[in-house]
Amino acid sequence: MNRRLAALANAHGVSTWYEDWRHRRVEVAPETVVGVLGLLGVDATSPTAIADALAAARAVDRNALPETVVLTHGGTRALPGPGVVTLEDGGRRAVDRELPADLPLGWHRLACADREVTLVVVPPRLPVAPRAWGWMLQLYALTSERSWGMGDLGDLADFTGWAGATGAGLVLLNPLHAVGPAHPVATSPYSPASRRFVNPLYLRVSDTAAYRAADPATRAVVDALRPDRGPLIDYDEVWAAKRHALELLHPYAEPVDLAADPALASFATWCALAERHGNDWRAWPAELHHPDAPAVAEQRRHLADRVAFHAWLQRLCDEQLDAVTAAARSAGMPVGVVHDLAVGIDPGGADGWQLADVLAQGVRVGAPPDDFNQLGQDWGLAAWRPDRLAATGYAAYRDMLRRALRHAGGLRVDHVAGLWRLWWVPPGGGAAQGTYVRYDAEAMLGILALEAHRAGAVVIGEDLGTVQPAVTRGLRARNMLGSTVLWFARDDDGDFVPPARWPRNALATISTHDLPTAPGFLTGEQVRVRDELKLLSTDTAVERARAAADRERLLGMLRAENLLPEPTLQLPTVTVASGGAEQRTDAGATAAPDDGEVVVAMHAALAASPTRLLGVSLYDVLGEVRQPNMPGTVDEYPNWRLPLPATVAQICEDPRVTRIVDLLSAARPRPADPTPPSR
């Protein structure tokens, strides 16, 4: 790596090397560094350009105020001179060469040294999360007699009320982020068109005021559109039916004041344009590529009815999410509904269109090679530009968090290490041909803490895999929780760690949506299906042996912790097989434990851990061997389309569910009169 290029990269937060999952130093190719610098608006394509850019970087006054000042409440910060702080409530305070420790939390403005910048005062930490257990739910998979082919917000309200009444303290959802309105409908909740708005696929049509106000004939037509529940969720069928039904009901709705929410008006405009031109704005006519373009304003007027329709859908989502929140509060849940924040967005979606000025155009977010993904990962997602976030006072990041927290008792942040650094893949490069770009973690984490504090929400960071120690320390310091998964809770020899040694500051679960379910793990389903899909990099027999050894290691840990009985010796028996032949079972053989009992023992391991929050998957409890998502596949596997094998009503009556509820409620009893956090 050229010394000047390395210095320039370091000045802009671009890594020239990184440590891989085996703790080996990996040098980044110079062409990758040049490409990523270009995405940050820095020309490094020639020695002269590098010299000029490096001189400009070194000319920046390191003592000058940054474009956004983030101050932890209770701390102070030196200033280059006297100044004035304009508080968010309109008050003004003079400051003399130092920001004082008693400034209130919030978003303020600081005028100092002939500059005016954003000043954010953030809490040092969040309140300690309560000790509670709850359900992890892929909402689309939850169905009932009233939902239309997939789970909806009515199902969620019903399930949440039941869960709270039976002792659960939280319900953790998959992301409910909006996707594009045109067909085909995106299935992955982790590649959204927008993280600020909600997917109207989750609406319950019959729970709207417009449905209740409609005449009987219209309601009959709407009711007839309801699709049946199939073996797999058909998002296109559901959306076509719901969109038609909601269009019939729209004339009965109260209009939405678009002027009161410019961001909503812009999102609804994108939806109306996407219906006409497709879900990727980059393929639209050039005159429509910017939200403020005259052609967009003209189209907004021309498509006023469709803009109003999509804005109304978002209002309905807000109303039905309010009902879910009310159900959690009424049931006394100490946490409530925890929403999931995806790590990024589809660059061709609504946020990519509306927030283009703070996104790195052309970048693809992913992960470097590791033991499980030896070619690296390219998630195809857009990324914030750290320099543009700071220059704009982190307004887009703040607004996204606020909308995500509007109906949340908690927020799970997918790939939380991305608040510190993200793997950027420049155009034309493969997934392994990227590098890390640094973010201002104090700003990203502090703003998250401020908005969560104001919402009264807990924060859970998904910090699985290879993460820097700074991530774990940063989460712990602010009373944000990490993630502990039974499958990964192992020592250096690969043995499962007893639950008593799991970290306290975490959400503990058996598995995740990207890993085998508990029944699937016990039966080796992950080997069978990966072999069928040609996803194994080693011999199938080797993988089967490894899976069997992992099962025995798990059983050994559960027995050592007295969570599973020791195997019993069988007495010799003689049975008569078909045809009259005798079969003999020799003495000394051990009886294999019943898989259902092992699943219960796994949940007992969760209950025995000191972790503050416990998450239980219905897939595990109901005996589903198929995992919700199979990494490395697109259409080869029914990702995100597997319904649960039971309806809401059946789940509430299932003895397997009752057994787990009793187990966890005994281990994590709720306070007699829990006080939910303020909203």
Side-chain angles (χ1 to χ4, degrees):
M1 179 72 62
N2 177 284
R3 217 168 22 142
R4 285 179 174 270
L5 177 59
L8 180 61
N10 183 62
H12 290 278
V14 178
S15 298
T16 57
W17 67 275
Y18 65 94
E19 191 176 86
D20 71 5
W21 82 100
R22 292 176 177 168
H23 306 294
R24 300 177 305 186
R25 180 179 173 120
V26 178
E27 301 291 337
V28 178
E31 54 268 26
T32 294
V33 173
V34 170
V36 170
L37 282 169
L39 296 172
L40 290 166
V42 179
D43 184 3
T45 55
S46 69
T48 301
I50 293 172
D52 291 344
L54 187 57
R58 288 171 173 169
V60 174
D61 184 358
R62 302 301 176 188
N63 296 318
L65 281 176
E67 292 172 299
T68 299
V69 175
V70 178
L71 177 69
T72 299
H73 186 265
T76 62
R77 180 189 176 105
L79 297 175
V84 175
V85 174
T86 302
L87 303 174
E88 66 179 358
D89 65 4
R92 291 167 63 86
R93 286 186 61 176
V95 292
D96 186 12
R97 293 188 173 276
E98 184 180 73
L99 290 174
D102 62 347
L103 286 173
L105 298 176
W107 294 82
H108 316 304
R109 298 291 295 174
L110 169 63
C112 179
D114 298 324
R115 294 189 68 190
E116 183 173 340
V117 300
T118 299
L119 167 63
V120 195
V121 181
V122 303
R125 63 191 61 84
L126 296 175
V128 175
R131 284 172 54 84
W133 72 274
W135 296 99
M136 298 190 301
L137 188 64
Q138 303 289 323
L139 179 53
Y140 58 81
L142 191 68
T143 58
S144 70
E145 296 303 317
R146 296 185 62 199
S147 51
W148 289 28
M150 63 179 282
D152 61 27
L153 294 171
D155 290 332
L156 179 59
D158 293 341
F159 181 84
T160 299
W162 167 83
T166 53
L170 66 138
V171 174
L172 171 60
L173 300 174
N174 59 284
L176 303 187
H177 303 321
V179 299
H183 294 280
V185 176
T187 59
S188 172
Y190 290 95
S191 299
S194 174
R195 293 184 290 181
R196 298 174 300 153
F197 297 97
V198 181
N199 190 343
L201 266 170
Y202 290 110
L203 286 171
R204 174 169 285 182
V205 175
S206 60
D207 281 357
T208 63
Y211 178 86
R212 294 188 292 271
D215 59 80
T218 299
R219 287 201 300 270
V221 174
V222 167
D223 292 343
L225 292 170
R226 178 182 180 270
D228 294 329
R229 180 176 184 264
L232 295 177
I233 294 165
D234 188 332
Y235 291 93
D236 283 291
E237 180 186 36
V238 173
W239 176 230
K242 286 193 177 182
R243 181 179 56 208
H244 187 186
L246 291 163
E247 287 168 345
L248 292 173
L249 297 174
H250 189 213
Y252 297 91
E254 293 291 328
V256 177
D257 182 7
L258 292 174
D261 192 342
L264 173 59
S266 183
F267 171 75
T269 300
W270 179 86
C271 290
L273 291 170
E275 286 181 320
R276 174 167 291 194
H277 300 289
N279 288 332
D280 189 340
W281 65 268
R282 296 167 299 180
W284 296 356
E287 64 269 19
L288 301 177
H289 281 191
H290 196 282
D292 296 329
V296 171
E298 180 184 349
Q299 286 294 303
R300 184 182 296 121
R301 289 190 295 270
H302 182 67
L303 299 171
D305 287 347
R306 299 309 296 172
V307 173
F309 173 72
H310 287 287
W312 175 60
L313 296 187
Q314 291 303 308
R315 186 176 69 184
L316 294 179
C317 290
D318 280 338
E319 291 171 354
Q320 295 193 7
L321 282 168
D322 281 341
V324 173
T325 302
R329 289 178 181 168
S330 179
M333 283 187 164
V335 177
V337 178
V338 180
H339 288 270
D340 200 348
L341 182 68
V343 67
I345 54 165
D346 177 353
D351 284 359
W353 185 66
Q354 291 179 263
L355 306 177
D357 60 328
V358 291
L359 297 172
Q361 298 301 318
V363 73
R364 304 189 315 280
V365 172
D370 60 27
D371 192 27
F372 297 101
N373 300 278
Q374 297 181 7
L375 298 179
Q377 298 179 68
D378 180 353
W379 302 328
L381 303 175
W384 300 116
R385 264 185 64 164
D387 57 330
R388 294 298 302 154
L389 280 180
T392 55
Y394 289 87
Y397 177 58
R398 173 200 64 201
D399 295 345
M400 178 196 70
L401 291 174
R402 284 184 179 174
R403 289 187 183 269
L405 287 161
R406 283 167 72 172
H407 309 284
L411 188 68
R412 176 190 177 273
V413 181
D414 190 43
H415 191 61
V416 74
L419 301 183
W420 280 259
R421 64 178 188 174
L422 269 177
W423 182 259
W424 285 24
V425 180
Q433 298 168 312
T435 189
Y436 284 109
V437 172
R438 293 194 304 272
Y439 290 78
D440 184 340
E442 284 302 305
M444 301 291 281
L445 205 62
I447 292 168
L448 173 60
L450 173 61
E451 296 305 322
H453 170 82
R454 290 185 156 182
V458 302
V459 173
I460 302 164
E462 187 271 297
D463 59 346
L464 302 173
T466 304
V467 299
Q468 296 174 302
V471 175
T472 303
R473 292 196 302 265
L475 293 174
R476 185 185 302 120
R478 293 189 184 270
N479 281 339
M480 297 177 180
L481 304 182
S483 300
T484 294
V485 175
L486 173 61
W487 301 151
F488 297 148
R490 307 196 191 200
D491 59 21
D492 291 340
D493 295 325
D495 292 324
F496 287 90
V497 173
R501 290 167 50 191
W502 295 1
R504 182 183 304 275
N505 196 54
L507 164 74
T509 65
I510 290 175
S511 187
T512 76
H513 53 253
D514 289 333
L515 295 171
T517 65
F521 174 84
L522 294 174
T523 60
E525 172 69 7
Q526 74 275 20
V527 178
R528 187 200 67 77
V529 71
R530 282 173 169 78
D531 179 44
E532 181 180 291
L533 297 174
K534 310 300 184 194
L535 294 176
L536 296 178
S537 57
T538 55
D539 184 74
T540 304
V542 172
E543 290 294 330
R544 288 199 184 106
R546 182 183 299 172
D550 277 347
R551 175 190 165 102
E552 290 308 310
R553 286 182 171 187
L554 174 64
L555 298 181
M557 184 274 285
L558 295 174
R559 287 169 180 143
E561 296 299 304
N562 296 317
L563 302 174
L564 188 68
E566 291 291 338
T568 57
L569 292 176
Q570 291 182 327
L571 296 175
T573 59
V574 177
T575 59
V576 178
S578 59
E582 290 187 352
Q583 293 181 340
R584 181 179 181 84
T585 301
D586 294 331
T590 57
D594 175 78
D595 283 357
E597 293 301 317
V598 178
V599 170
V600 173
M602 291 184 200
H603 288 91
L606 294 185
S609 75
T611 51
R612 293 203 170 274
L613 298 182
L614 308 178
V616 182
S617 168
L618 283 167
Y619 287 100
D620 293 340
V621 179
L622 296 175
E624 175 60 73
V625 299
R626 299 171 298 175
Q627 63 194 67
N629 178 56
M630 184 68 64
T633 66
V634 180
D635 298 322
E636 306 94 318
Y637 185 84
N639 296 315
W640 316 113
R641 293 186 290 144
L642 296 173
L644 287 166
T647 65
V648 174
Q650 292 167 338
I651 289 167
C652 297
E653 300 296 329
D654 194 299
R656 295 170 296 181
V657 173
T658 301
R659 187 173 181 184
I660 297 301
V661 167
D662 291 344
L663 169 68
L664 293 173
S665 293
R668 296 289 174 93
R670 287 220 311 249
D673 184 21
T675 302
S678 60
R679 296 286 185 265

